[in-house]
Amino acid sequence: MAELMYWEAIRRAHDEEMTNDPLVICMGEDIGVAGGTYKATNGLYDKYGPERVIDTPISENGYTGLGIGASFLGVRPIIEIMSVNFAWLAMDQLFNSAAKVRYMSGGQLTAPVVVRSAGGTAHQLGAQHSARMEKVFMSIAGLRVVTPSNPRQAYGLLKSAVRCNDPVYINEHELMYNMKGEVPDEEYFHPLVGSEVAREGRDVTLFGYNISVHWCLQAAETLSKQYGIEAEVIDLFALAPLDRAGIVASVRKTHRAVIAEEAEPAVGVGAEVMAIINEECFFELDAAPVRVSAVNVPIPYNHTLEKAAIPNAGDVVAAVRKMLGK
Amino acid sequence: MNLADKKRLLREMLFARRFEERCYEAYVERKIGGFLHLYSGEEACAHGVLEASKKGHDYVITSYRDHVHAIKCGADPKKVMAELYAKETGSSKGRGGSMHIFDVEHRFMGGYALVGGPFPLAAGMAKAIKMKGGDEIVICFLGDAANNQGTFHESLNMAKLWDLPVLYVCENNLYGIGTRIDRSTAVIDQYKRVSGYNIPSAQEDGQDIEKVFKAAKKAINHVRSGKGPYFLELMTYRYRGHSMSDSNAYRSKSEERMWSNRDPIIMLRDRLIEAGELTGEDYKAMDTEVLDEIEDEVIAFAESSPEPRVDELEKYTLAENDPWVYGGGR
Ligand SMILES: Cc1ncc(C[n+]2csc(CCOP(=O)(O)OP(=O)(O)O)c2C)c(N)n1
Ligand SMILES: [Mg+2]
């Protein structure tokens, strides 16, 4: 098994899917000649040409709609939106056209597009380049939402997303493109539904997704070594639909839940996971579930303030200790 | 366009008019819900353009004012009416409604309710055609007010940049709901707006089907020959309010009278009568036949069709049994 960086894994998935099917194309700003802001399409322009690796104008709603229209006739576009903050502009086409066309046509038309975008806070990018928008996408019926926490998922989720007949939004992370991890050498298709047990434990379940999985894993180490607490970590790589059964199974085992999210708490992944726990296994809880979320502010430029706005592994440790009184 | 074609088109337009007027009645009777946008007065636009296209070969997409376009593409009027009646036998199985008629088999790719939504979708279908190397084209019908959406500019730019086979038809009925074009739009002649994207365009009388047909032939030839997009503006007028809740209070009676004097159906009828090819009696008989067909077949079908089942509420939200959802393993 080779170690790849997150961006290399995404690039490899593009490359394989484009080789496999001549109707797979990719499009977005600066993805062709320039190779992509995060290099996720590096070299593909030379290999597949301008008809299939399309440098678009800065028209997020327009080119997303164009990709959706192409998908009506069997093309499989992988649309890169440079940053999630710009994806707001494409929500009209993604939500109103792609997510709804199957339903409102009574199953006659589908929009098998993949939209990938980089979200999250990074290095002092300021209020307009630090959005965490997965909560918005996951609330739309007709859209699948996945979010890879490592290169293996980044590779395998994109492969399945390209072939799946539903529109899929892939939420990547600004800070994770250079993360290294093992990716199978042979072709691998990651399921678009479910969750993964990233670490087994018995005392408390830590739910994370994308970057917050890493805070949870780090926190679990600390909790085990310093406090004798064995935390289970569940990686919610699929946000829509959420893995109800997986969430419940782990809470039934540990009877405690902490959800770590990089986004603001309101109407978010944490709120949704808590609601599921409430609905499904309230009486099996030994403690009230807790969210570890961002502070509800536009992300500040100042480094200290930015750090204060976003949670980290230490916050997860503190939440668990408080819950267990240790 | 030969004589037989003209007579057929007269009947088709008359059918469209009577269909829409029957929808009006059904709405008043509360058989049809939601928003209902009627096409009465604008028939020559869809019929003239689509007559010049290759039926079942070219792709068509439009807005919420979509019943007549769908039927002209080949959709069964019974299924369209059943859709308006929200029945399982409707073209979208009762899940879409008046604004979302689809008939993919006949390449009618849908009615969309977001003003300007179809602009990029049309360009995208044209991109797919170009990739696959076919000679189909995409025809996108939208209103005048839709041209103030960002998607208009974004899509025209990309359509020309990549020379995509798409014909944009602007049905300029002078209003976006209750706002007259000169109160919303800095440039009144819509065909001039696309010169900024280097796209050839023309403006034509949308009430005269023969003129529409000729202008559309030219436009379609341009697009099909691989020269890229074209923009055709058709000057027209809707007789009814924007939707059923609109009383037309913002329009003058004299303006309405002026346009009804240029009714597309009456104009073609009178031309055929003048040429001695049709009599007033023939026309009356045609009208009776159309009305009977709508009542006895179309309405009867919609009335007697079953409603969708509540236990199938979630069907069509996502693909069913798609193995790739499970990583290809199932
Ligand atoms: C994005 C969006 N904004 C507003 C509306 C409400 N609306 C529906 S139709 C319409 C007017 C559109 O006029 P035009 O494009 O000229 O088409 P027409 O109805 O005249 O055929 C408006 C404002 C909408 N459906 N979508
Ligand atoms: Mg109008």
Side-chain angles (χ1 to χ4, degrees):
Chain A
M1 224 184 282
E3 281 231 319
L4 291 182
M5 288 203 256
Y6 197 84
W7 72 265
E8 289 173 318
I10 296 168
R11 191 202 164 284
R12 179 180 149 197
H14 274 92
D15 195 4
E16 287 176 9
E17 289 307 297
M18 291 186 75
T19 299
N20 171 65
D21 179 355
L23 289 177
V24 175
I25 63 173
C26 54
M27 48 195 289
E29 294 157 29
D30 290 310
I31 68 148
V33 173
T37 309
Y38 303 101
K39 296 198 281 184
T41 51
N42 201 23
L44 301 180
Y45 182 87
D46 290 335
K47 189 165 175 185
Y48 299 103
E51 292 294 318
R52 294 181 64 201
V53 181
I54 304 166
D55 281 313
T56 64
I58 307 166
S59 306
E60 285 79 8
N61 202 34
Y63 66 71
T64 300
L66 190 143
I68 294 164
S71 80
F72 289 172
L73 302 195
V75 171
R76 299 258 161 179
I78 307 170
I79 302 168
E80 175 176 302
I81 298 183
M82 194 182 263
S83 148
V84 141
N85 303 266
F86 319 148
W88 290 114
L89 287 117
M91 285 189 174
D92 161 39
Q93 284 297 333
L94 195 57
F95 296 175
N96 285 315
S97 301
K100 292 178 179 147
V101 75
R102 176 191 287 277
Y103 199 88
M104 66 190 195
S105 70
Q108 291 182 69
L109 260 192
T110 59
V113 289
V114 180
V115 175
R116 335 174 357 256
S117 193
T121 57
H123 317 279
Q124 292 182 268
L125 299 184
Q128 293 187 331
H129 279 79
S130 303
R132 293 125 295 153
M133 278 165 48
E134 54 283 358
K135 57 163 96 179
V136 180
F137 289 91
M138 66 187 275
S139 68
I140 304 298
L143 189 65
R144 292 187 181 279
V145 179
V146 295
T147 184
S149 67
N150 56 49
R152 174 180 56 86
Q153 289 182 357
Y155 165 77
L157 287 171
L158 178 53
K159 298 267 296 176
S160 298
V162 169
R163 299 198 185 195
C164 166
N165 284 322
D166 296 315
V168 181
Y169 174 69
I170 305 185
N171 184 62
E172 296 167 2
H173 200 288
E174 296 256 5
L175 286 180
M176 288 167 65
Y177 288 102
N178 289 330
M179 161 190 290
K180 271 195 169 160
E182 289 195 333
V183 179
D185 295 326
E186 67 281 5
E187 225 182 5
Y188 166 66
F189 294 89
H190 198 289
L192 300 173
V193 291
S195 59
E196 280 179 358
V197 181
R199 184 188 201 277
E200 296 244 25
R202 56 166 193 270
D203 300 325
V204 58
T205 302
L206 310 180
F207 291 100
Y209 62 95
N210 191 266
I211 201 165
S212 68
V213 170
H214 301 282
W215 310 339
C216 292
L217 287 170
Q218 221 181 308
E221 281 297 302
T222 307
L223 289 165
S224 173
K225 284 206 182 104
Q226 297 184 17
Y227 304 97
I229 299 168
E230 290 309 316
E232 177 144 299
V233 177
I234 302 290
D235 180 341
L236 300 170
F237 62 81
L239 295 181
L242 262 177
D243 183 20
R244 227 179 155 83
I247 291 166
V248 172
S250 183
V251 175
R252 288 220 159 106
K253 178 172 150 195
T254 64
H255 311 287
R256 293 181 187 88
V258 173
I259 307 109
E261 59 190 347
E262 194 194 8
E264 313 85 333
V267 210
V269 177
E272 196 55 36
V273 171
M274 279 172 120
I276 289 171
I277 294 169
N278 225 3
E279 287 159 2
E280 302 277 350
C281 47
F282 181 81
F283 292 106
E284 292 169 64
L285 288 171
D286 286 344
V290 167
R291 280 181 293 186
V292 176
S293 319
V295 178
N296 194 25
V297 287
I299 294 302
Y301 165 65
N302 175 276
H303 182 55
T304 309
L305 293 181
E306 181 185 44
K307 269 180 69 179
I310 303 301
N312 57 33
D315 296 324
V316 179
V317 170
V320 173
R321 286 182 57 202
K322 190 173 169 202
M323 180 179 276
L324 286 149
K326 287 199 182 181
Chain B
M1 203 188 278
N2 64 31
L3 189 64
D5 291 332
K6 284 182 199 169
K7 279 194 183 164
R8 175 177 46 79
L9 284 167
L10 179 66
R11 192 189 189 281
E12 286 178 11
M13 289 201 291
L14 186 56
F15 185 93
R17 175 74 55 85
R18 294 302 191 191
F19 183 95
E20 294 289 79
E21 295 306 312
R22 189 61 183 79
C23 290
Y24 184 99
E25 283 173 39
Y27 192 89
V28 173
E29 294 165 13
R30 295 178 180 263
K31 304 270 184 178
I32 298 176
F35 287 126
L36 179 69
H37 308 84
L38 302 176
Y39 198 59
S40 299
E42 307 189 26
E43 293 87 352
C45 300
H47 284 89
V49 171
L50 294 175
E51 188 66 19
S53 73
K54 287 192 191 169
K55 201 169 162 170
H57 184 72
D58 295 332
Y59 294 89
V60 177
I61 187 166
T62 189
S63 69
Y64 42 82
R65 203 179 294 288
D66 58 353
H67 316 158
V68 173
H69 302 79
I71 292 170
K72 178 62 180 162
C73 283
D76 183 345
K78 295 202 285 294
K79 288 190 183 170
V80 177
M81 188 62 82
E83 185 60 30
L84 305 184
Y85 271 62
K87 298 296 181 74
E88 179 69 23
T89 55
S91 38
S92 295
K93 301 200 178 346
R95 271 77 165 174
S98 164
M99 300 187 284
H100 308 302
I101 305 294
F102 286 79
D103 188 338
V104 173
E105 192 192 326
H106 291 99
R107 303 204 164 172
F108 180 70
M109 307 304 277
Y112 298 79
L114 275 283
V115 168
F119 282 122
L121 300 174
M125 288 191 281
K127 164 71 185 168
I129 291 167
K130 195 166 178 173
M131 272 182 74
K132 294 179 180 177
D135 82 329
E136 305 94 326
I137 69 164
V138 180
I139 304 176
C140 174
F141 290 88
L142 285 176
D144 47 294
N147 298 345
N148 291 329
Q149 281 281 311
T151 49
F152 170 80
H153 299 277
E154 296 187 356
S155 304
L156 289 174
N157 179 50
M158 291 186 290
K160 183 58 201 169
L161 181 66
W162 300 321
D163 270 334
L164 302 177
V166 54
L167 168 60
Y168 288 107
V169 178
C170 174
E171 299 175 321
N172 186 348
N173 60 14
L174 307 174
Y175 289 86
I177 310 188
T179 304
R180 205 186 144 90
I181 190 165
D182 52 87
R183 297 186 56 242
S184 67
T185 308
V187 178
I188 303 296
D189 287 322
Q190 296 304 296
Y191 77 99
K192 290 182 183 164
R193 295 179 81 180
V194 305
S195 62
Y197 297 106
N198 229 354
I199 295 175
S201 63
Q203 189 182 52
E204 188 49 272
D205 175 3
Q207 302 307 89
D208 184 335
I209 189 164
E210 294 184 61
K211 286 188 186 157
V212 173
F213 178 78
K214 237 176 111 185
K217 267 282 174 217
K218 185 178 161 207
I220 288 170
N221 282 342
H222 176 94
V223 175
R224 208 183 302 284
S225 70
K227 293 191 191 132
Y230 193 97
F231 184 92
L232 178 60
E233 177 182 12
L234 300 174
M235 303 309 295
T236 188
Y237 203 71
R238 66 169 152 72
Y239 291 168
R240 293 283 182 189
H242 167 74
S243 68
M244 293 295 288
S245 54
D246 171 13
S247 64
N248 267 336
Y250 45 84
R251 306 198 303 201
S252 72
K253 291 294 154 220
S254 65
E255 179 182 289
E256 290 183 355
R257 218 170 306 116
M258 187 187 91
W259 281 94
S260 61
N261 286 337
R262 303 201 66 252
D263 185 281
I265 299 172
I266 302 301
M267 275 165 63
L268 180 59
R269 181 198 68 182
D270 290 352
R271 210 172 280 165
L272 288 169
I273 291 177
E274 236 166 75
E277 305 294 350
L278 188 87
T279 65
E281 288 307 305
D282 293 340
Y283 180 75
K284 269 194 199 125
M286 186 187 276
D287 196 16
T288 309
E289 195 185 285
V290 163
L291 286 167
D292 287 349
E293 183 184 334
I294 289 173
E295 216 49 50
D296 301 345
E297 294 180 35
V298 175
I299 293 289
F301 177 79
E303 291 273 358
S304 64
S305 288
E307 302 252 345
R309 288 162 37 171
V310 174
D311 65 359
E312 292 187 340
L313 169 66
E314 290 172 85
K315 202 174 172 182
Y316 310 121
T317 307
L318 291 167
E320 273 169 63
N321 306 318
D322 185 334
W324 300 107
V325 169
Y326 309 98
R330 269 221 308 243

